[in-house]
Amino acid sequence: SQKIEQNSEALNIQEGKTATLTCNYTNYSPAYLQWYRQDPGRGPVFLLLIRENEKEKRKERLKVTFDTTLKQSLFHITASQPADSATYLCALGKGGGNKLTFGTGTQLKVEL
Amino acid sequence: SAVISQKPSRDICQRGTSLTIQCQVDSQVTMMFWYRQQPGQSLTLIATANQGSEATYESGFVIDKFPISRPNLTFSTLTVSNMSPEDSSIYLCSVEGGVAGNTDTQYFGPGTRLTVL
C-alpha cells in the first residue's frame, strides 16, 4: 500500500539556521509533490509544488528538491525565523482529479 | 485565492447523534474535498464532492456514515452520522486551488473540531 513518511519527531533549530525536512514515499508514482504549512487550529496552507520532471523549486527562503529515484523530497527553509514554527505536510498527487495523499507532517520549532 | 469558512468551528456531541458541518466558499469551484485529521495523524481524504453528482468516497468511508451534499458551486455539507468517540477528529473541507496557476493545489478551510463523548 502507499506510504508517505515524514520525520515524526519535532525538529528544533536555532533562528537563522537552515531547517531541512524530509518526505519519503513508497508504492507510489506521483505526478507532483506539494508542501503545506499547518498552524494549530488552522487548515493547511499551500507553499510549493514540484513536478516529477523537476529537480528543484525555490520560493523566497523555501527550497524543495524531488528525487523520484530515491522517492524522496527535501524541504529547506533558510534563515529560519520563529514565525516559521509550524507543522509541515508533504502531499503527493497524480493529477487529473486533484486527489492528494498527505504525509503525517513534521513539527518545526525555531528558537531564538 | 479562495476564502473558505466552516461551521461550526467546534462541537461536543453525544454518542449516537449526528452533526452536519457546513463549508462555504467565496467563489464558484467545481471540486470540493472533505478530509479527516485525527489527533496526531495526517489528513485522510473522506470524499470528493462535485456539484450535480454523487460524492465519490475513499476506501473505508461510506455514504451512510458520511453523507455529503453539494447543492451548488459554493457550498457543501458533510454529516457525521451515528457518532462514536472514534469519530472525534478535525474535519476539513478544501477546494481545488489555482494557487500561482497550479490547479493541482488546494485551499483549505479552518476545520471543525469534533469531540464525541
Side-chain angles (χ1 to χ4, degrees):
Chain A
S1 61
Q2 298 169 1
K3 199 171 183 181
I4 304 172
E5 292 183 330
Q6 297 184 250
N7 296 349
S8 57
E9 293 184 11
L11 177 63
N12 297 329
I13 64 167
Q14 259 190 328
E15 183 180 20
K17 302 291 187 183
T18 296
T20 298
L21 286 67
T22 305
C23 176
N24 294 296
Y25 60 94
T26 56
N27 298 323
Y28 204 107
S29 296
Y32 52 80
L33 186 148
Q34 304 182 27
W35 284 88
Y36 287 78
R37 168 182 174 145
Q38 187 174 25
D39 292 282
R42 310 286 288 271
V45 174
F46 169 77
L47 296 174
L48 280 169
L49 179 150
I50 187 166
R51 300 197 180 274
E52 59 179 335
N53 60 347
E54 297 175 315
K55 296 291 187 186
E56 183 179 297
K57 202 71 135 344
R58 292 176 184 259
K59 178 184 174 184
E60 298 171 355
R61 294 185 295 112
L62 309 180
K63 184 178 85 171
V64 173
T65 63
F66 193 13
D67 189 326
T68 55
T69 301
L70 291 178
K71 295 186 183 296
Q72 180 182 78
S73 175
L74 299 179
F75 177 77
H76 307 273
I77 305 175
T78 59
S80 59
Q81 306 166 0
D84 295 326
S85 299
T87 295
Y88 292 85
L89 304 163
C90 70
L92 278 65
K94 291 191 174 185
N98 295 9
K99 193 167 90 169
L100 294 177
T101 303
F102 281 83
T104 51
T106 298
Q107 186 178 11
L108 172 67
K109 293 181 182 177
V110 181
E111 299 164 337
L112 293 170
Chain B
S1 64
V3 177
I4 303 171
S5 59
Q6 286 185 234
K7 288 183 183 179
S9 58
R10 59 177 61 221
D11 207 341
I12 300 173
C13 300
Q14 295 297 320
R15 180 196 300 261
T17 63
S18 297
L19 176 72
T20 295
I21 301 167
Q22 300 178 8
C23 179
Q24 179 76 52
V25 190
D26 68 343
S27 57
Q28 293 184 338
V29 292
T30 302
M31 301 180 73
M32 295 181 78
F33 307 89
W34 285 99
Y35 289 84
R36 181 174 72 182
Q37 187 172 29
Q38 294 179 305
Q41 303 293 316
S42 186
L43 282 75
T44 301
L45 182 64
I46 298 171
T48 302
N50 289 342
Q51 195 269 335
S53 62
E54 293 288 323
T56 302
Y57 288 82
E58 297 299 306
S59 176
F61 298 96
V62 295
I63 188 171
D64 289 345
K65 176 68 175 177
F66 298 102
I68 289 170
S69 78
R70 183 78 202 275
N72 57 52
L73 291 172
T74 63
F75 187 78
S76 178
T77 67
L78 169 76
T79 298
V80 186
S81 304
N82 188 24
M83 289 184 285
S84 67
E86 292 71 37
D87 294 320
S88 297
S89 187
I90 298 172
Y91 291 86
L92 296 131
C93 72
S94 73
V95 303
E96 55 186 344
V99 179
N102 290 313
T103 56
D104 297 317
T105 59
Q106 293 183 17
Y107 290 108
F108 283 84
T112 295
R113 182 180 292 272
L114 171 61
T115 302
V116 184
L117 303 177

mmCIF file of all heavy atoms in Angstrom, chain B residues 11-48:
data_model
loop_
_atom_site.group_PDB
_atom_site.id
_atom_site.type_symbol
_atom_site.label_atom_id
_atom_site.label_comp_id
_atom_site.label_asym_id
_atom_site.label_seq_id
_atom_site.Cartn_x
_atom_site.Cartn_y
_atom_site.Cartn_z
ATOM 1 N N ASP B 11 -17.436 21.446 18.119
ATOM 2 C CA ASP B 11 -18.653 20.980 18.773
ATOM 3 C C ASP B 11 -18.330 19.765 19.634
ATOM 4 O O ASP B 11 -17.395 19.015 19.330
ATOM 5 C CB ASP B 11 -19.730 20.625 17.738
ATOM 6 C CG ASP B 11 -21.140 20.773 18.283
ATOM 7 O OD1 ASP B 11 -21.300 20.802 19.526
ATOM 8 O OD2 ASP B 11 -22.081 20.858 17.474
ATOM 9 N N ILE B 12 -19.115 19.617 20.676
ATOM 10 C CA ILE B 12 -19.045 18.429 21.535
ATOM 11 C C ILE B 12 -20.396 17.739 21.431
ATOM 12 O O ILE B 12 -21.433 18.364 21.689
ATOM 13 C CB ILE B 12 -18.730 18.812 22.992
ATOM 14 C CG1 ILE B 12 -17.396 19.543 23.065
ATOM 15 C CG2 ILE B 12 -18.707 17.564 23.873
ATOM 16 C CD1 ILE B 12 -17.066 20.113 24.434
ATOM 17 N N CYS B 13 -20.386 16.482 21.021
ATOM 18 C CA CYS B 13 -21.636 15.777 20.749
ATOM 19 C C CYS B 13 -21.711 14.488 21.541
ATOM 20 O O CYS B 13 -20.693 13.931 21.964
ATOM 21 C CB CYS B 13 -21.729 15.456 19.251
ATOM 22 S SG CYS B 13 -21.684 16.908 18.183
ATOM 23 N N GLN B 14 -22.915 14.019 21.703
ATOM 24 C CA GLN B 14 -23.147 12.764 22.400
ATOM 25 C C GLN B 14 -23.105 11.595 21.418
ATOM 26 O O GLN B 14 -23.482 11.730 20.237
ATOM 27 C CB GLN B 14 -24.504 12.796 23.106
ATOM 28 C CG GLN B 14 -24.595 13.824 24.223
ATOM 29 C CD GLN B 14 -23.627 13.535 25.350
ATOM 30 O OE1 GLN B 14 -23.427 12.384 25.746
ATOM 31 N NE2 GLN B 14 -22.997 14.593 25.862
ATOM 32 N N ARG B 15 -22.673 10.488 21.915
ATOM 33 C CA ARG B 15 -22.648 9.243 21.134
ATOM 34 C C ARG B 15 -24.032 8.961 20.548
ATOM 35 O O ARG B 15 -25.050 9.168 21.196
ATOM 36 C CB ARG B 15 -22.234 8.103 22.058
ATOM 37 C CG ARG B 15 -22.149 6.730 21.444
ATOM 38 C CD ARG B 15 -22.112 5.696 22.568
ATOM 39 N NE ARG B 15 -20.964 5.911 23.438
ATOM 40 C CZ ARG B 15 -19.831 5.225 23.335
ATOM 41 N NH1 ARG B 15 -19.695 4.296 22.406
ATOM 42 N NH2 ARG B 15 -18.843 5.453 24.185
ATOM 43 N N GLY B 16 -24.068 8.537 19.286
ATOM 44 C CA GLY B 16 -25.323 8.152 18.650
ATOM 45 C C GLY B 16 -26.022 9.280 17.905
ATOM 46 O O GLY B 16 -26.957 9.030 17.144
ATOM 47 N N THR B 17 -25.579 10.500 18.109
ATOM 48 C CA THR B 17 -26.195 11.629 17.415
ATOM 49 C C THR B 17 -25.453 11.909 16.108
ATOM 50 O O THR B 17 -24.468 11.242 15.776
ATOM 51 C CB THR B 17 -26.176 12.886 18.293
ATOM 52 O OG1 THR B 17 -24.811 13.254 18.561
ATOM 53 C CG2 THR B 17 -26.905 12.639 19.614
ATOM 54 N N SER B 18 -25.939 12.887 15.354
ATOM 55 C CA SER B 18 -25.332 13.258 14.076
ATOM 56 C C SER B 18 -25.006 14.744 14.073
ATOM 57 O O SER B 18 -25.685 15.536 14.738
ATOM 58 C CB SER B 18 -26.278 12.938 12.909
ATOM 59 O OG SER B 18 -26.517 11.548 12.828
ATOM 60 N N LEU B 19 -24.006 15.111 13.321
ATOM 61 C CA LEU B 19 -23.605 16.510 13.200
ATOM 62 C C LEU B 19 -23.392 16.825 11.724
ATOM 63 O O LEU B 19 -22.732 16.082 11.014
ATOM 64 C CB LEU B 19 -22.310 16.785 13.965
ATOM 65 C CG LEU B 19 -21.755 18.207 13.806
ATOM 66 C CD1 LEU B 19 -22.642 19.195 14.571
ATOM 67 C CD2 LEU B 19 -20.315 18.300 14.297
ATOM 68 N N THR B 20 -23.933 17.955 11.288
ATOM 69 C CA THR B 20 -23.718 18.406 9.915
ATOM 70 C C THR B 20 -22.776 19.594 9.925
ATOM 71 O O THR B 20 -22.997 20.582 10.622
ATOM 72 C CB THR B 20 -25.042 18.790 9.251
ATOM 73 O OG1 THR B 20 -25.861 17.608 9.132
ATOM 74 C CG2 THR B 20 -24.802 19.349 7.855
ATOM 75 N N ILE B 21 -21.723 19.478 9.141
ATOM 76 C CA ILE B 21 -20.705 20.514 9.019
ATOM 77 C C ILE B 21 -20.901 21.219 7.681
ATOM 78 O O ILE B 21 -21.069 20.563 6.651
ATOM 79 C CB ILE B 21 -19.291 19.898 9.084
ATOM 80 C CG1 ILE B 21 -19.101 19.139 10.406
ATOM 81 C CG2 ILE B 21 -18.229 20.977 8.935
ATOM 82 C CD1 ILE B 21 -17.878 18.251 10.432
ATOM 83 N N GLN B 22 -20.873 22.536 7.723
ATOM 84 C CA GLN B 22 -21.072 23.324 6.519
ATOM 85 C C GLN B 22 -19.742 23.900 6.027
ATOM 86 O O GLN B 22 -18.897 24.290 6.833
ATOM 87 C CB GLN B 22 -22.032 24.479 6.780
ATOM 88 C CG GLN B 22 -23.403 24.049 7.228
ATOM 89 C CD GLN B 22 -24.301 25.233 7.520
ATOM 90 O OE1 GLN B 22 -23.951 26.382 7.245
ATOM 91 N NE2 GLN B 22 -25.475 24.961 8.059
ATOM 92 N N CYS B 23 -19.606 23.979 4.718
ATOM 93 C CA CYS B 23 -18.424 24.557 4.089
ATOM 94 C C CYS B 23 -18.878 25.541 3.022
ATOM 95 O O CYS B 23 -19.617 25.163 2.098
ATOM 96 C CB CYS B 23 -17.567 23.450 3.482
ATOM 97 S SG CYS B 23 -16.080 24.034 2.649
ATOM 98 N N GLN B 24 -18.441 26.798 3.178
ATOM 99 C CA GLN B 24 -18.843 27.861 2.258
ATOM 100 C C GLN B 24 -17.597 28.458 1.614
ATOM 101 O O GLN B 24 -16.639 28.782 2.309
ATOM 102 C CB GLN B 24 -19.597 28.955 3.019
ATOM 103 C CG GLN B 24 -20.053 30.128 2.159
ATOM 104 C CD GLN B 24 -21.259 29.794 1.329
ATOM 105 O OE1 GLN B 24 -22.269 29.311 1.830
ATOM 106 N NE2 GLN B 24 -21.186 30.057 0.031
ATOM 107 N N VAL B 25 -17.641 28.601 0.287
ATOM 108 C CA VAL B 25 -16.514 29.172 -0.447
ATOM 109 C C VAL B 25 -16.944 30.499 -1.062
ATOM 110 O O VAL B 25 -18.121 30.639 -1.455
ATOM 111 C CB VAL B 25 -16.051 28.224 -1.574
ATOM 112 C CG1 VAL B 25 -14.737 28.695 -2.175
ATOM 113 C CG2 VAL B 25 -15.927 26.808 -1.057
ATOM 114 N N ASP B 26 -16.022 31.447 -1.159
ATOM 115 C CA ASP B 26 -16.387 32.771 -1.654
ATOM 116 C C ASP B 26 -16.340 32.873 -3.181
ATOM 117 O O ASP B 26 -16.537 33.953 -3.744
ATOM 118 C CB ASP B 26 -15.473 33.842 -1.039
ATOM 119 C CG ASP B 26 -14.040 33.752 -1.528
ATOM 120 O OD1 ASP B 26 -13.657 32.702 -2.079
ATOM 121 O OD2 ASP B 26 -13.296 34.731 -1.337
ATOM 122 N N SER B 27 -16.082 31.759 -3.858
ATOM 123 C CA SER B 27 -16.102 31.759 -5.312
ATOM 124 C C SER B 27 -16.589 30.396 -5.786
ATOM 125 O O SER B 27 -16.596 29.432 -5.022
ATOM 126 C CB SER B 27 -14.710 32.047 -5.871
ATOM 127 O OG SER B 27 -13.774 31.106 -5.376
ATOM 128 N N GLN B 28 -16.976 30.313 -7.033
ATOM 129 C CA GLN B 28 -17.502 29.056 -7.555
ATOM 130 C C GLN B 28 -16.365 28.094 -7.870
ATOM 131 O O GLN B 28 -15.395 28.469 -8.534
ATOM 132 C CB GLN B 28 -18.331 29.319 -8.818
ATOM 133 C CG GLN B 28 -19.605 30.108 -8.541
ATOM 134 C CD GLN B 28 -20.457 30.280 -9.798
ATOM 135 O OE1 GLN B 28 -19.970 30.184 -10.904
ATOM 136 N NE2 GLN B 28 -21.743 30.527 -9.597
ATOM 137 N N VAL B 29 -16.492 26.877 -7.408
ATOM 138 C CA VAL B 29 -15.475 25.864 -7.643
ATOM 139 C C VAL B 29 -16.158 24.569 -8.056
ATOM 140 O O VAL B 29 -17.275 24.277 -7.621
ATOM 141 C CB VAL B 29 -14.605 25.612 -6.389
ATOM 142 C CG1 VAL B 29 -13.748 26.822 -6.083
ATOM 143 C CG2 VAL B 29 -15.460 25.220 -5.202
ATOM 144 N N THR B 30 -15.488 23.810 -8.880
ATOM 145 C CA THR B 30 -16.060 22.548 -9.338
ATOM 146 C C THR B 30 -15.883 21.460 -8.285
ATOM 147 O O THR B 30 -16.823 20.759 -7.926
ATOM 148 C CB THR B 30 -15.397 22.107 -10.654
ATOM 149 O OG1 THR B 30 -15.576 23.136 -11.622
ATOM 150 C CG2 THR B 30 -16.014 20.809 -11.158
ATOM 151 N N MET B 31 -14.659 21.322 -7.801
ATOM 152 C CA MET B 31 -14.361 20.202 -6.909
ATOM 153 C C MET B 31 -14.181 20.679 -5.471
ATOM 154 O O MET B 31 -13.468 21.645 -5.205
ATOM 155 C CB MET B 31 -13.093 19.491 -7.372
ATOM 156 C CG MET B 31 -13.191 18.946 -8.789
ATOM 157 S SD MET B 31 -11.701 18.109 -9.324
ATOM 158 C CE MET B 31 -11.797 16.614 -8.372
ATOM 159 N N MET B 32 -14.830 19.986 -4.570
ATOM 160 C CA MET B 32 -14.633 20.212 -3.139
ATOM 161 C C MET B 32 -14.263 18.876 -2.520
ATOM 162 O O MET B 32 -14.708 17.814 -2.978
ATOM 163 C CB MET B 32 -15.893 20.782 -2.488
ATOM 164 C CG MET B 32 -16.255 22.172 -2.994
ATOM 165 S SD MET B 32 -17.729 22.855 -2.218
ATOM 166 C CE MET B 32 -17.079 23.381 -0.638
ATOM 167 N N PHE B 33 -13.468 18.950 -1.463
ATOM 168 C CA PHE B 33 -12.973 17.745 -0.816
ATOM 169 C C PHE B 33 -13.251 17.817 0.682
ATOM 170 O O PHE B 33 -13.208 18.886 1.277
ATOM 171 C CB PHE B 33 -11.457 17.607 -1.019
ATOM 172 C CG PHE B 33 -11.013 17.683 -2.450
ATOM 173 C CD1 PHE B 33 -10.708 18.909 -3.026
ATOM 174 C CD2 PHE B 33 -10.881 16.545 -3.215
ATOM 175 C CE1 PHE B 33 -10.295 18.994 -4.342
ATOM 176 C CE2 PHE B 33 -10.469 16.621 -4.535
ATOM 177 C CZ PHE B 33 -10.171 17.845 -5.099
ATOM 178 N N TRP B 34 -13.499 16.660 1.267
ATOM 179 C CA TRP B 34 -13.657 16.565 2.723
ATOM 180 C C TRP B 34 -12.586 15.620 3.266
ATOM 181 O O TRP B 34 -12.406 14.503 2.764
ATOM 182 C CB TRP B 34 -15.038 16.040 3.087
ATOM 183 C CG TRP B 34 -16.117 17.057 2.903
ATOM 184 C CD1 TRP B 34 -16.962 17.190 1.855
ATOM 185 C CD2 TRP B 34 -16.472 18.099 3.828
ATOM 186 N NE1 TRP B 34 -17.814 18.247 2.050
ATOM 187 C CE2 TRP B 34 -17.543 18.822 3.256
ATOM 188 C CE3 TRP B 34 -15.997 18.491 5.079
ATOM 189 C CZ2 TRP B 34 -18.137 19.912 3.893
ATOM 190 C CZ3 TRP B 34 -16.578 19.567 5.708
ATOM 191 C CH2 TRP B 34 -17.644 20.268 5.121
ATOM 192 N N TYR B 35 -11.881 16.128 4.304
ATOM 193 C CA TYR B 35 -10.812 15.359 4.935
ATOM 194 C C TYR B 35 -11.114 15.180 6.418
ATOM 195 O O TYR B 35 -11.820 15.983 7.029
ATOM 196 C CB TYR B 35 -9.475 16.101 4.843
ATOM 197 C CG TYR B 35 -8.854 16.175 3.476
ATOM 198 C CD1 TYR B 35 -9.231 17.169 2.583
ATOM 199 C CD2 TYR B 35 -7.858 15.275 3.082
ATOM 200 C CE1 TYR B 35 -8.638 17.260 1.328
ATOM 201 C CE2 TYR B 35 -7.254 15.366 1.834
ATOM 202 C CZ TYR B 35 -7.654 16.355 0.971
ATOM 203 O OH TYR B 35 -7.065 16.446 -0.276
ATOM 204 N N ARG B 36 -10.490 14.174 6.984
ATOM 205 C CA ARG B 36 -10.498 13.971 8.430
ATOM 206 C C ARG B 36 -9.057 13.978 8.912
ATOM 207 O O ARG B 36 -8.175 13.393 8.270
ATOM 208 C CB ARG B 36 -11.161 12.628 8.775
ATOM 209 C CG ARG B 36 -11.235 12.334 10.256
ATOM 210 C CD ARG B 36 -12.022 11.072 10.514
ATOM 211 N NE ARG B 36 -11.290 9.866 10.127
ATOM 212 C CZ ARG B 36 -11.805 8.648 10.224
ATOM 213 N NH1 ARG B 36 -13.049 8.468 10.642
ATOM 214 N NH2 ARG B 36 -11.088 7.596 9.857
ATOM 215 N N GLN B 37 -8.826 14.646 10.054
ATOM 216 C CA GLN B 37 -7.497 14.666 10.646
ATOM 217 C C GLN B 37 -7.636 14.267 12.102
ATOM 218 O O GLN B 37 -8.037 15.074 12.948
ATOM 219 C CB GLN B 37 -6.857 16.052 10.517
ATOM 220 C CG GLN B 37 -5.407 16.091 10.963
ATOM 221 C CD GLN B 37 -4.731 17.417 10.653
ATOM 222 O OE1 GLN B 37 -5.373 18.463 10.613
ATOM 223 N NE2 GLN B 37 -3.422 17.389 10.422
ATOM 224 N N GLN B 38 -7.317 13.023 12.383
ATOM 225 C CA GLN B 38 -7.422 12.532 13.755
ATOM 226 C C GLN B 38 -6.217 13.009 14.551
ATOM 227 O O GLN B 38 -5.172 13.348 13.983
ATOM 228 C CB GLN B 38 -7.546 11.011 13.735
ATOM 229 C CG GLN B 38 -8.868 10.571 13.092
ATOM 230 C CD GLN B 38 -9.045 9.076 13.028
ATOM 231 O OE1 GLN B 38 -8.194 8.382 12.492
ATOM 232 N NE2 GLN B 38 -10.150 8.593 13.566
ATOM 233 N N PRO B 39 -6.353 13.051 15.871
ATOM 234 C CA PRO B 39 -5.276 13.596 16.713
ATOM 235 C C PRO B 39 -3.914 12.984 16.405
ATOM 236 O O PRO B 39 -3.769 11.769 16.407
ATOM 237 C CB PRO B 39 -5.746 13.243 18.128
ATOM 238 C CG PRO B 39 -7.233 13.160 18.029
ATOM 239 C CD PRO B 39 -7.516 12.605 16.663
ATOM 240 N N GLY B 40 -2.942 13.829 16.103
ATOM 241 C CA GLY B 40 -1.597 13.374 15.820
ATOM 242 C C GLY B 40 -1.432 12.674 14.490
ATOM 243 O O GLY B 40 -0.366 12.123 14.217
ATOM 244 N N GLN B 41 -2.478 12.688 13.679
ATOM 245 C CA GLN B 41 -2.421 11.990 12.392
ATOM 246 C C GLN B 41 -2.444 12.986 11.239
ATOM 247 O O GLN B 41 -2.673 14.179 11.428
ATOM 248 C CB GLN B 41 -3.627 11.043 12.270
ATOM 249 C CG GLN B 41 -3.737 10.029 13.373
ATOM 250 C CD GLN B 41 -2.607 9.025 13.340
ATOM 251 O OE1 GLN B 41 -2.243 8.519 12.285
ATOM 252 N NE2 GLN B 41 -2.027 8.751 14.500
ATOM 253 N N SER B 42 -2.235 12.448 10.058
ATOM 254 C CA SER B 42 -2.282 13.302 8.882
ATOM 255 C C SER B 42 -3.709 13.425 8.367
ATOM 256 O O SER B 42 -4.642 12.873 8.936
ATOM 257 C CB SER B 42 -1.389 12.731 7.792
ATOM 258 O OG SER B 42 -1.324 13.631 6.701
ATOM 259 N N LEU B 43 -3.859 14.148 7.298
ATOM 260 C CA LEU B 43 -5.166 14.313 6.684
ATOM 261 C C LEU B 43 -5.500 13.061 5.867
ATOM 262 O O LEU B 43 -4.675 12.586 5.097
ATOM 263 C CB LEU B 43 -5.179 15.517 5.743
ATOM 264 C CG LEU B 43 -5.278 16.901 6.372
ATOM 265 C CD1 LEU B 43 -3.966 17.306 6.999
ATOM 266 C CD2 LEU B 43 -5.722 17.916 5.351
ATOM 267 N N THR B 44 -6.704 12.592 6.027
ATOM 268 C CA THR B 44 -7.200 11.457 5.255
ATOM 269 C C THR B 44 -8.413 11.906 4.467
ATOM 270 O O THR B 44 -9.366 12.431 5.046
ATOM 271 C CB THR B 44 -7.592 10.287 6.173
ATOM 272 O OG1 THR B 44 -6.445 9.889 6.936
ATOM 273 C CG2 THR B 44 -8.072 9.103 5.353
ATOM 274 N N LEU B 45 -8.380 11.690 3.162
ATOM 275 C CA LEU B 45 -9.496 12.107 2.314
ATOM 276 C C LEU B 45 -10.696 11.215 2.542
ATOM 277 O O LEU B 45 -10.594 9.984 2.479
ATOM 278 C CB LEU B 45 -9.065 12.047 0.841
ATOM 279 C CG LEU B 45 -10.092 12.502 -0.186
ATOM 280 C CD1 LEU B 45 -10.420 13.984 -0.004
ATOM 281 C CD2 LEU B 45 -9.581 12.255 -1.608
ATOM 282 N N ILE B 46 -11.829 11.848 2.834
ATOM 283 C CA ILE B 46 -13.074 11.112 3.009
ATOM 284 C C ILE B 46 -13.771 10.950 1.668
ATOM 285 O O ILE B 46 -14.148 9.845 1.272
ATOM 286 C CB ILE B 46 -14.018 11.847 3.985
ATOM 287 C CG1 ILE B 46 -13.388 11.948 5.368
ATOM 288 C CG2 ILE B 46 -15.383 11.155 4.050
ATOM 289 C CD1 ILE B 46 -14.164 12.839 6.339
ATOM 290 N N ALA B 47 -13.950 12.066 0.957
ATOM 291 C CA ALA B 47 -14.688 12.013 -0.301
ATOM 292 C C ALA B 47 -14.435 13.272 -1.101
ATOM 293 O O ALA B 47 -14.026 14.306 -0.569
ATOM 294 C CB ALA B 47 -16.183 11.857 -0.038
ATOM 295 N N THR B 48 -14.717 13.159 -2.391
ATOM 296 C CA THR B 48 -14.673 14.288 -3.319
ATOM 297 C C THR B 48 -16.106 14.598 -3.733
ATOM 298 O O THR B 48 -16.860 13.684 -4.111
ATOM 299 C CB THR B 48 -13.843 13.934 -4.559
ATOM 300 O OG1 THR B 48 -12.530 13.559 -4.153
ATOM 301 C CG2 THR B 48 -13.765 15.110 -5.511
#
